[in-house]
Amino acid sequence: VQMMEALLSTYGTPLEFDGHILYAFWKPEDMAHVPEQALRDLKVGYRAVSILRISQAFAADRNLEASLRRAPRDEARRHLLELYGIGPASVDGLLFEFLHHYDALDHMPPWQGKIFSRLLFGEERPPSQTLAEITRRWGPWRALAAHYLLEDRFWQRSRTPIPWLQDLIRL
């Protein structure tokens, strides 16, 4: 959260809405020329290189975003994984959040597995078992259903503390 706030307040476009300042993302061609040290000074750490290389890839190919949006899920996955710094967990998030593939949940990091296994089974189980249960229950809607499940729990947490969840999320 702190890293995104630092990036957006430095490189984003400020917009006012309902008395609040919000930020739109930067353009890839603008970020592609930022010195790596300037990003590191914002305390994004090793992510500085990924941010720069991904920005450079999108700046170099003005049609990259449009081609990813048109591509079938598996083709988009392959292209995204070719980008520097994009791994299995990141690609699922990108496919779901930005490209609207509601079944894009093929990898579960351990921290997510702990949360979902507590929600689904009432106890911690291996991420592979939790992912299999999510797939069994929600199939082609698994990423969307998992997203709603987390949103609901985080909404509940905003009103009533959930100690086991608080220990896992560090926010």
Side-chain angles (χ1 to χ4, degrees):
V1 171
Q2 291 171 338
M3 286 184 251
M4 282 307 301
E5 286 178 356
L7 284 165
L8 287 167
S9 65
T10 304
Y11 298 107
T13 302
L15 307 165
E16 186 173 342
F17 176 78
D18 199 23
H20 299 280
I21 300 295
L22 306 171
Y23 293 91
F25 276 93
W26 49 85
K27 293 179 180 174
E29 56 270 17
D30 295 336
M31 185 61 81
H33 302 292
V34 171
E36 181 181 333
Q37 189 57 50
L39 292 175
R40 289 189 180 277
D41 290 345
L42 295 177
K43 303 202 182 324
V44 299
Y46 69 90
R47 295 167 190 87
V49 176
S50 297
I51 292 166
L52 289 174
R53 289 198 183 172
I54 290 170
S55 295
Q56 290 163 353
F58 277 87
D61 182 353
R62 309 277 279 145
N63 294 316
L64 181 55
E65 181 181 354
S67 68
L68 287 169
R69 290 189 183 281
R70 286 190 305 269
R73 183 178 77 110
D74 290 341
E75 183 182 330
R77 175 181 295 281
R78 279 192 302 279
H79 288 301
L80 287 167
L81 286 169
E82 291 171 359
L83 295 172
Y84 183 88
I86 302 296
S90 299
V91 79
D92 279 352
L94 293 167
L95 288 167
F96 170 68
E97 294 281 345
F98 298 106
L99 302 179
H100 309 290
H101 291 284
Y102 300 127
D103 62 341
L105 186 56
D106 297 318
H107 176 78
M108 183 158 292
W111 71 270
Q112 267 187 338
K114 290 177 182 180
I115 293 172
F116 282 114
S117 66
R118 289 285 303 263
L119 294 173
L120 298 174
F121 305 117
E123 64 185 17
E124 286 190 25
R125 295 199 184 169
S128 60
Q129 187 178 3
T130 305
L131 185 57
E133 179 63 15
I134 287 171
T135 301
R136 185 192 70 75
R137 287 186 188 198
W138 300 304
W141 302 101
R142 63 186 174 268
L144 183 62
H147 177 78
Y148 283 149
L149 191 59
L150 277 185
E151 285 292 320
D152 178 66
R153 197 48 48 122
F154 275 72
W155 180 85
Q156 288 177 15
R157 177 190 152 270
S158 72
R159 285 157 177 72
T160 306
I162 304 171
W164 67 265
L165 182 59
Q166 194 60 35
D167 291 343
L168 291 173
I169 58 172
R170 299 178 295 167
L171 283 178

